[in-house]
Amino acid sequence: FQHYYITNNLRMPPKKKEEDSKKKEEEPKLSEVNFKSKDPQTLYHLLFSKEENILWRSCDALYNYSLVGEQNKTELLGMGTVKAAIPHLSSTDAATRRSSIMLVNSLAQIEESRVEIREQEVVAALINLLKPEEGVMTHEHATKCILTIADQYTTKSLILENGGIELLVQLITDPDPLVQQNTLETIELLSADCQCRISLNEANVVTSLLEALSCEYPAIQQLALKVMYSVCQEECVRTSVKEVNGLEALLKMLTDEELSDLHEGIVQVVGVCMLDTDQLDAMKDSGCLLTLANYVTTTEPQGQLNALRAISTCSGKPENCQILHDHEIETTIMTVLGGRILRC
C-alpha cells in the first residue's frame, strides 16, 4: 500500500503547478481580446501592425463593425480608417488584400470617403485586385468599390490608364452573379465616354456581352443588353457586332417567347445597329430583316411600337430607306398601322 501511494503521488503534478496551469488557461489571449473588441480605436491601431495575421483579422473586425450601420461607418471614417487600410490593398498576402478591400468598399459607400479612394495609386491598386488570381470575395468587393467611384471622368481616365478595361471585360462572364452585376454596372458608366467605348471594343466586349446573355439570371441578361446598347453608340462596336454575327444571335432570341422580357432590350440594340447601311444590308441578306418584320406583325402592341421605333431610327439615311423599301418594310408598317396599334 505504501508503494502504491508513493507511486501514484509521484505521477501527480505538484499542487502549485496545477494552480499555475489553471491560471494560464484563464488568462485571455491578447489577439482574442483585440479582434473581438467593441472598441474600434483598438482595432484601428492594429492596422499599423507589421504582422499579416493581425492585419487581416483587424480589417475583418472593422469590416464587421462597419456593417452595423451608417453611424459606425461615419465613426470609422472620422478616425482615418480608409487611409490606414488603403496600403494593405497592395499587400503580398491574399487574405490581407481580401479583408482590406472588404473594409475599404464598405466605407466607400459614404460619399466623404471617395475623395481618398479616387487617388491615382488607389485606383491602380483596386484594378490590380481584378486579376484572375484573386478570389471571388476580392473580385466582388473590388468591382463594387470601382463602381462606386466610376461616375467621374477623372476616375474613368485612371481606369483606362491602368488597364482596368481589359480586366473588367474578363469579369463580365465571371461565374459569380454579384461580380457580373457590379462589372456590368461599372462598364455601363464607363461606356458613356467615347474613348472608353473604343477601348471596350478593343477588349472584345461584344463577345463577352453575347456570352452573358446566356446567363441564367434575368437581371444579368437585362444589364448585358443595356451595356450593349450603350457601347453600340460607337460605330466600331457596331462593326464588331456584325463580325461576330451578333444580330443573328439577338434576333434568334427575339423569336423565343420564353425570353419575352428581353425583347425590348434586343430591339433597341438591333435598332442602333441598323443605323449602319452595311449592317442593314447584311441583315437583308441573312434574313434578319425578315425576322424583325415578322416580329412587328406578330408581337403585342408595346413590342410593335419598340420595333417600329428601331426601323424609324435607321430610316434617316436615304440608302437605308432604299433597303427597307426593297424589303417591303412599308407594307409591314402599313399592316400594323391599320391593325392592332391604331385600336390600342
Side-chain angles (χ1 to χ4, degrees):
F1 172 80
Q2 189 175 17
H3 172 75
Y4 174 83
Y5 178 81
I6 293 171
T7 305
N8 277 276
N9 273 276
L10 284 172
R11 289 173 183 166
M12 295 173 64
K15 192 173 183 181
K16 188 177 179 182
K17 287 186 179 179
E18 261 189 20
E19 289 173 357
D20 289 343
S21 179
K22 285 180 181 178
K23 203 171 184 180
K24 284 180 182 177
E25 286 178 8
E26 289 170 2
E27 286 177 1
K29 294 179 181 178
L30 181 61
S31 60
E32 289 178 356
V33 173
N34 288 331
F35 300 130
K36 294 180 181 180
S37 173
K38 294 181 180 179
D39 177 19
Q41 284 283 355
T42 304
L43 298 168
Y44 167 78
H45 288 299
L46 290 174
L47 290 176
F48 299 95
S49 171
K50 293 184 179 181
E51 294 184 33
E52 298 290 354
N53 190 47
I54 292 177
L55 285 174
W56 73 259
R57 287 174 182 271
S58 57
C59 284
D60 264 0
L62 286 165
Y63 167 71
N64 290 326
Y65 184 81
S66 73
L67 295 180
V68 175
E70 292 299 308
Q71 186 176 348
N72 285 22
K73 287 186 176 73
T74 305
E75 182 185 357
L76 292 176
L77 188 61
M79 293 191 306
T81 306
V82 172
K83 187 175 181 180
I86 280 172
H88 305 315
L89 297 174
S90 303
S91 169
T92 55
D93 181 69
T96 302
R97 293 196 302 273
R98 181 200 64 226
S99 298
S100 60
I101 185 55
M102 289 168 66
L103 175 58
V104 170
N105 174 48
S106 179
L107 298 180
Q109 305 315 307
I110 299 180
E111 180 67 37
E112 293 82 352
S113 70
R114 296 174 194 170
V115 176
E116 291 177 291
I117 298 172
R118 286 192 173 100
E119 293 294 327
Q120 183 173 357
E121 62 274 12
V122 183
V123 174
L126 290 173
I127 289 169
N128 279 330
L129 295 177
L130 302 180
K131 290 181 178 179
E133 58 264 27
E134 300 291 349
V136 174
M137 289 297 290
T138 301
H139 283 162
E140 180 186 323
H141 287 272
T143 50
K144 181 69 173 178
C145 193
I146 293 172
L147 170 61
T148 305
I149 60 173
D151 57 333
Q152 291 194 1
Y153 176 76
T154 51
T155 307
K156 292 176 183 179
S157 297
L158 289 173
I159 292 171
L160 268 173
E161 290 170 13
N162 289 279
I165 295 290
E166 293 81 1
L167 291 170
L168 284 167
V169 168
Q170 289 175 17
L171 290 175
I172 289 175
T173 53
D174 191 89
D176 185 83
L178 284 175
V179 174
Q180 279 188 296
Q181 180 179 336
N182 294 339
T183 301
L184 287 167
E185 289 178 355
T186 302
I187 291 175
E188 186 182 9
L189 288 176
L190 295 174
S191 63
D193 178 75
C194 172
Q195 188 54 53
C196 284
R197 291 195 296 268
I198 294 171
S199 296
L200 284 164
N201 183 59
E202 291 170 353
N204 296 318
V205 71
V206 171
T207 303
S208 295
L209 289 171
L210 289 171
E211 189 176 338
L213 287 174
S214 62
C215 172
E216 61 180 310
Y217 300 99
I220 301 298
Q221 294 173 316
Q222 295 279 8
L223 268 173
L225 285 170
K226 284 178 69 178
V227 173
M228 187 171 287
Y229 176 77
S230 184
V231 295
C232 279
Q233 304 304 314
E234 204 66 43
E235 186 178 355
C236 63
V237 181
R238 298 196 294 270
T239 301
S240 294
V241 172
K242 178 185 173 183
E243 289 172 353
V244 298
N245 299 319
L247 286 184
E248 286 86 341
L250 289 170
L251 286 165
K252 186 178 180 182
M253 295 173 71
L254 201 61
T255 61
D256 190 343
E257 287 301 317
E258 291 185 4
L259 300 175
S260 59
D261 57 325
L262 301 179
H263 287 177
E264 181 178 354
I266 291 170
V267 169
Q268 287 177 341
V269 174
V270 171
V272 74
C273 288
M274 287 167 64
L275 288 170
D276 299 331
T277 303
D278 290 346
Q279 188 87 282
L280 189 61
D281 203 33
M283 285 180 67
K284 182 187 72 174
D285 296 337
S286 65
C288 288
L289 202 54
L290 180 61
T291 302
L292 183 62
N294 289 337
Y295 176 75
V296 173
T297 57
T298 58
T299 190
E300 38 75 41
Q302 186 59 48
Q304 290 177 330
L305 186 59
N306 293 331
L308 289 174
R309 280 175 179 162
I311 294 170
S312 173
T313 300
C314 81
S315 63
K317 293 182 178 179
E319 52 269 39
N320 287 0
C321 285
Q322 186 60 49
I323 294 172
L324 294 172
H325 174 74
D326 293 344
H327 217 67
E328 298 183 346
I329 295 297
E330 299 104 317
T331 305
T332 301
I333 293 173
M334 292 305 297
T335 301
V336 172
L337 290 175
R340 288 174 292 175
I341 280 190
L342 284 179
R343 292 198 294 268
C344 290

